[in-house]
């Protein structure tokens, strides 16, 4: 088994980029493409994407583990008992399922089209779109809590997540923006956004499992991939905690400035 230290370091950097940008509204897929090109490693393929996305998913699952446990228990117990004390959790979990459907369907139907549309210019333009949307909702203070979400809200936010399949559109950005736009409190918007992330990400992991198992050179890639996985996991965890603090302070406009800056740099230098 060959071990390339420089290649491993490059994958660690890409993992850190993926981990930092996954929770925040700046497009993790776009930033991973930028980092890969700057480091001269090119596209790492579907297997690497699944691996790093799994690391980010694991970090999100740990952060929201109590919410997830409560929602699963409440969902099942309400179905079995119809007791009103579990109804709110049942509704929230049901709306997460409903909101996950648009991205799931479009992801399967348009995966080839989406992959072919990737370019630095597309990423730059979509970062502009993300930045404008973040600016428009920067001062919105919704009133809807977890118990006030409707099926219509879930569909709208789910469509936002589906739009984020476009390279350069941030998934967390699109869902948080959509959730705030329909009147959710920022804390609820953030929670609902990342509850939606879980089933879609799990679906991607399941669909990509066969590609991962059939990877021809797993032995040579074991150390670089494990290192990237750990880097992604740790960075996602800390970035998510940081972003939760940003949301509480209502400072989303800073991400607008960042999106505009990166978009301009991409148009100039790429």
């Amino acid at each position: 088994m060959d071990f390339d230290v420089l290649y491993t370091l490059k994958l660690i950097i890409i993992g850190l980029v993926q981990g930092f940008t996954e929770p925040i509204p700046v497009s993790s897929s776009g930033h991973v493409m930028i980092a890969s090109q700057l480091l001269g490693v090119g596209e790492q393929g579907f297997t690497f994407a699944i691996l790093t996305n799994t690391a980010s998913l694991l970090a999100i699952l740990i952060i929201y583990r109590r919410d997830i446990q409560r929602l699963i228990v409440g969902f099942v117990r309400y179905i079995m008992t119809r007791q009103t004390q579990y109804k709110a959790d049942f509704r929230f979990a049901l709306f997460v399922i409903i909101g996950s459907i648009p991205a799931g369907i479009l992801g399967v139907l348009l995966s080839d089209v989406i992959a072919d549309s990737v370019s630095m210019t597309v990423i730059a333009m979509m970062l502009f779109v993300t930045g404008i949307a973040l600016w428009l909702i920067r001062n919105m203070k919704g009133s809807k809590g977890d118990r006030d979400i409707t099926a219509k809200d879930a569909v709208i936010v789910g469509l936002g997540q589906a739009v984020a399949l476009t390279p350069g559109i941030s998934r967390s950005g699109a869902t948080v923006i959509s959730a705030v736009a329909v009147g959710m409190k920022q804390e609820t918007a953030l929670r609902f956004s990342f509850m939606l992330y879980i089933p879609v990400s799990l679906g991607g992991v399941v669909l990509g499992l066969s590609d991962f198992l059939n990877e021809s050179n797993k032995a040579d890639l074991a150390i670089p991939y494990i290192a990237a996985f750990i880097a992604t996991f740790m960075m996602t965890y800390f970035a998510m905690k940081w972003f939760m603090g940003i949301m509480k302070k209502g400072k989303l406009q800073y991400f607008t400035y960042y999106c505009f800056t990166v978009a301009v740099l991409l148009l100039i230098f790429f």
Side-chain angles (χ1 to χ4, degrees):
M1 178 178 67
D2 297 326
F3 174 49
D4 188 328
V5 175
L6 181 58
Y7 180 67
T8 300
L9 289 174
K10 289 179 177 180
L11 290 196
I12 289 174
I13 292 171
I14 294 173
L16 291 173
V17 171
Q18 157 69 22
F20 183 69
T21 56
E22 180 61 54
I24 65 178
V26 298
S27 177
S28 60
S29 60
H31 278 74
V32 166
M33 282 187 60
I34 295 167
S36 297
Q37 186 159 331
L38 289 174
L39 292 170
V41 295
E43 289 293 324
Q44 292 305 300
F46 194 55
T47 299
F48 183 76
I50 290 295
L51 189 75
T52 52
N53 285 331
T54 302
S56 289
L57 172 63
L58 181 59
I60 300 300
L61 288 172
I62 291 174
I63 290 173
Y64 281 109
R65 63 190 182 280
R66 292 187 179 87
D67 292 295
I68 295 167
Q69 181 181 12
R70 189 193 74 247
L71 290 172
I72 293 174
V73 171
F75 185 84
V76 173
R77 287 185 177 175
Y78 182 77
I79 291 175
M80 295 178 65
T81 67
R82 288 296 193 274
Q83 293 181 18
T84 56
Q85 69 189 84
Y86 301 118
K87 187 174 182 179
D89 289 335
F90 168 81
R91 281 169 52 83
F92 193 96
L94 178 63
F95 293 152
V96 168
I97 295 171
I98 292 172
S100 302
I101 293 173
I105 294 175
L106 290 179
V108 172
L109 295 179
L110 302 178
S111 58
D112 292 336
V113 175
I114 293 168
D116 293 339
S117 67
V118 176
S119 72
M120 290 299 171
T121 301
V122 170
I123 292 173
M125 298 309 297
M126 293 304 101
L127 282 172
F128 273 122
V129 172
T130 299
I132 291 169
L134 286 168
W135 181 260
L136 292 175
I137 61 102
R138 69 192 185 283
N139 294 323
M140 289 185 180
K141 304 292 183 183
S143 60
K144 293 181 180 179
D146 290 7
R147 295 173 179 268
D148 305 312
I149 299 173
T150 65
K152 180 181 177 181
D153 296 335
V155 171
I156 291 173
V157 180
L159 290 172
Q161 180 163 253
V163 169
L165 293 170
T166 306
I169 293 288
S170 164
R171 191 217 63 85
S172 65
T175 50
V176 167
I177 289 166
S178 301
V180 171
V182 299
M184 293 187 202
K185 297 176 182 177
Q186 291 196 349
E187 181 181 357
T188 298
L190 187 64
R191 184 181 298 109
F192 192 68
S193 167
F194 283 94
M195 289 298 113
L196 285 182
Y197 168 75
I198 292 169
V200 170
S201 185
L202 279 173
V205 170
V206 172
L207 290 174
L209 189 59
S210 61
D211 290 321
F212 178 76
L213 294 176
N214 292 327
E215 182 73 55
S216 59
N217 55 341
K218 286 195 291 288
D220 292 337
L221 294 173
I223 293 178
Y225 276 20
I226 290 172
F229 182 93
I230 294 172
T232 304
F233 168 77
M234 294 179 64
M235 185 57 78
T236 301
Y237 183 89
F238 290 113
M240 185 67 207
K241 288 288 189 179
W242 175 69
F243 185 49
M244 292 169 80
I246 294 290
M247 286 289 289
K248 287 181 180 179
K249 296 175 183 177
K251 301 294 185 181
L252 284 174
Q253 69 269 23
Y254 294 131
F255 295 107
T256 291
Y257 308 145
Y258 178 82
C259 287
F260 287 168
T261 301
V262 174
V264 169
L265 291 174
L266 286 177
L267 292 176
I268 293 173
F269 293 106
F270 289 90

